[in-house]
């Protein structure tokens, strides 16, 4: 059972009982409060941005990620960002984004649909794509800070590489925190179903993206 009126209203919107605009009006009437901003918005933007808006933002993140591959960066897995000696071919870059965004979104949606009868796939596509923004920043940091090394050479620890390692770790933690909140909001799940599902789905998304890239990329 949902514990707060806010959560019950969001469930009605998610189940298409009331329209999103009506839900926003009800929430504003029941619990008026200032909109999230700053670091609060960075950790949970999904109360403000969801559905089609989040999907458009996710598409922008994916497009920018493809552009960053021109710097010699690969997004070769659901959780992975690596440097390459040369720019990634466009076909490979597009395939990597498809396996890192729509495929995991479909897995998250299917799991939630299995446990709840009414969830919208556009919500999962949107929030999953928007959650990848920290990995976009990690890729940009890698392309700008990591030194270019000859193929087969052993990487040397440099200030740029050390800075990237710190930035990448922070971005990965940020990505997982965003993704967890996104999955929670889009699915309405709580408790063991939420936590176990999230861990299993992240693991499955990483494995499937790696296997698919090995066979297709």
């Amino acid at each position: 059972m949902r514990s707060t009126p806010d959560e019950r209203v969001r469930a009605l919107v998610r189940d298409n009982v009331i329209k999103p605009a009506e839900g926003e009006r009800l929430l504003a009437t029941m619990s008026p409060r200032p909109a999230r901003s700053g670091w609060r918005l960075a950790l949970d933007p999904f109360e403000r941005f969801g559905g089609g808006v989040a999907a458009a933002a996710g598409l922008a993140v994916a497009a920018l990620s493809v552009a960053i591959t021109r710097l010699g960066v690969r997004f070769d897995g659901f959780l992975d960002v690596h440097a390459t000696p040369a720019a990634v071919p466009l076909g490979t870059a597009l395939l990597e984004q498809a396996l890192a965004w729509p495929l995991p979104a479909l897995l998250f949606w299917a799991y939630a649909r299995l446990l709840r009868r009414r969830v919208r796939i556009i919500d999962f596509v949107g929030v999953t794509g928007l959650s990848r923004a920290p990995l976009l920043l990690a890729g940009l940091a890698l392309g700008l800070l990591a030194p270019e090394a000859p193929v087969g050479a052993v990487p040397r620890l440099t200030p740029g590489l050390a800075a990237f390692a710190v930035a990448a770790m922070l971005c990965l933690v940020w990505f997982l925190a965003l993704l967890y909140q996104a999955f929670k909001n889009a699915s309405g799940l709580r408790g063991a179903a939420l936590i176990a599902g999230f861990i299993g789905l992240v693991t499955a998304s990483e494995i499937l993206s790696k296997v698919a890239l090995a066979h297709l990329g």
Side-chain angles (χ1 to χ4, degrees):
M1 181 178 294
R2 299 181 182 277
S3 58
T4 68
D6 285 18
E7 290 175 330
R8 287 193 287 272
V9 171
R10 292 191 187 97
L12 292 175
V13 174
R14 188 164 46 248
D15 294 343
N16 296 317
V17 176
I18 61 176
K19 295 181 179 179
E22 294 178 81
E24 291 297 328
R25 285 195 294 270
L26 280 173
L27 288 172
T29 301
M30 292 188 318
S31 53
R33 53 191 179 272
R36 291 176 181 267
S37 60
W39 67 269
R40 291 180 181 272
L41 182 62
L43 291 176
D44 184 10
F46 307 109
E47 289 186 3
R48 184 181 298 183
F49 307 109
V53 174
L59 183 61
V61 169
L64 290 171
S65 298
V66 170
I68 287 174
T69 62
R70 300 297 90 194
L71 299 175
V73 176
R74 288 196 66 179
F75 296 87
D76 51 343
F78 182 57
L79 303 173
D80 299 84
V81 181
H82 293 116
T84 62
V88 180
L90 179 59
T92 300
L94 291 173
L95 175 62
E96 288 176 351
Q97 290 305 308
L99 295 175
W101 175 26
L103 175 61
L106 183 61
L107 293 177
F108 278 81
W109 170 80
Y111 175 81
R113 184 64 184 269
L114 186 65
L115 299 182
R116 296 175 55 85
R117 298 191 65 181
R118 292 185 179 179
V119 287
R120 302 191 310 166
I121 192 167
I122 186 64
D123 293 329
F124 290 86
V125 170
V127 297
T128 302
L130 181 55
S131 295
R132 293 189 60 79
L135 296 185
L136 168 66
L137 296 178
L140 180 60
L142 177 59
L144 296 177
L145 298 177
E148 184 175 345
V151 177
V154 178
R156 294 183 299 107
L157 183 62
T158 64
L161 191 58
F164 166 71
V166 174
M169 183 59 65
L170 293 175
C171 287
L172 179 59
V173 172
W174 184 13
F175 164 59
L176 291 174
L178 278 176
L179 187 63
Y180 176 81
Q181 192 63 45
F183 181 48
K184 179 180 177 181
N185 286 10
S187 68
L189 297 174
R190 297 294 184 272
L194 171 66
I195 296 171
F198 178 76
I199 294 172
L201 288 164
V202 168
T203 304
S205 297
E206 175 70 0
I207 293 173
L208 286 176
S209 62
K210 287 291 191 183
V211 170
L213 279 173
H215 285 82
L216 301 175

